[in-house]
Amino acid sequence: MKINKTVLFISFFVLMSCPSESPMWERTYQIRNDSGFDTVIRFYDIFNNEIFQDIIVLDNQFFRGDTIEGSNFDALNDTESIRPGQSYASFRLIIVYENERKMEYTRIDSDDDDIPDSFSGPINGNLLRSGNYTNIGNNIFEFVLTDEDYNNAIPCNGNCLD
């Protein structure tokens, strides 16, 4: 009987001394196309700007990135964070509207410290900046492309991705 109490005590002590896992958050970022135009979004690889993937996002459709997670809850409200780029695995992307107009978005980091020095303009419309997304529930944050984004895009007359 004494052995059972000792084993029970040791087991309890071991369980209580094990570190608990830190609480985690999750977020997913998406781009909804409500511009009135079909788009192609070119996502450049996060590690190699010579590798890219083109995703077609038709009008009234959306593209959803990967779910990302972390444990630093204090950083969740940082409007300058690069979480959308992490969700898309891209820190440079181009949106092309029906091969007529395009807009490029980049994260600018001159010292490789994973903290962006800035974002390409317009900053309040940059799809890589977390402060430009709206929480639509269920840990999903959305950026909506509008006809204003189309109008602000640069004319490229059919050579948009060359």
Side-chain angles (χ1 to χ4, degrees):
M1 189 71 153
K2 188 173 186 176
I3 293 175
N4 287 341
K5 286 182 181 178
T6 303
V7 170
L8 183 62
F9 177 74
I10 291 172
S11 297
F12 177 75
F13 179 74
V14 168
L15 287 173
M16 293 307 290
S17 64
C18 290
S20 61
E21 190 173 313
S22 296
M24 301 290 285
W25 52 259
E26 288 186 345
R27 284 194 172 177
T28 305
Y29 290 85
Q30 72 181 26
I31 300 168
R32 173 171 298 284
N33 180 10
D34 287 345
S35 68
F37 300 89
D38 295 340
T39 63
V40 172
I41 304 176
R42 176 168 284 180
F43 293 96
Y44 287 88
D45 184 82
I46 202 166
F47 298 110
N48 184 342
N49 269 332
E50 294 178 16
I51 299 172
F52 58 84
Q53 180 178 11
D54 290 341
I55 304 290
I56 296 171
V57 184
L58 302 176
D59 190 36
N60 297 312
Q61 301 293 315
F62 66 88
F63 170 77
R64 184 173 290 165
D66 296 327
T67 298
I68 57 172
E69 60 183 31
S71 60
N72 183 355
F73 284 86
D74 292 336
L76 279 179
N77 295 325
D78 180 6
T79 60
E80 302 301 314
S81 85
I82 56 173
R83 283 188 194 83
Q86 293 167 329
S87 181
Y88 306 136
S90 180
F91 289 137
R92 178 177 172 225
L93 60 92
I94 299 173
I95 296 186
V96 176
Y97 300 88
E98 298 207 4
N99 212 21
E100 296 173 1
R101 294 175 169 262
K102 72 177 181 179
M103 185 63 87
E104 184 171 347
Y105 302 94
T106 59
R107 162 202 155 204
I108 302 167
D109 183 16
S110 61
D111 52 12
D112 290 332
D113 62 0
D114 283 337
I115 299 170
D117 297 326
S118 65
F119 296 94
S120 64
I123 290 179
N124 288 334
N126 191 305
L127 281 84
L128 300 171
R129 181 178 173 267
S130 64
N132 296 330
Y133 284 75
T134 301
N135 183 349
I136 61 170
N138 296 323
N139 297 318
I140 298 173
F141 291 75
E142 181 175 74
F143 185 98
V144 178
L145 296 172
T146 66
D147 59 341
E148 183 179 348
D149 294 303
Y150 171 83
N151 291 330
N152 290 333
I154 299 165
C156 51
N157 302 318
N159 297 319
C160 299
L161 292 173
D162 294 336

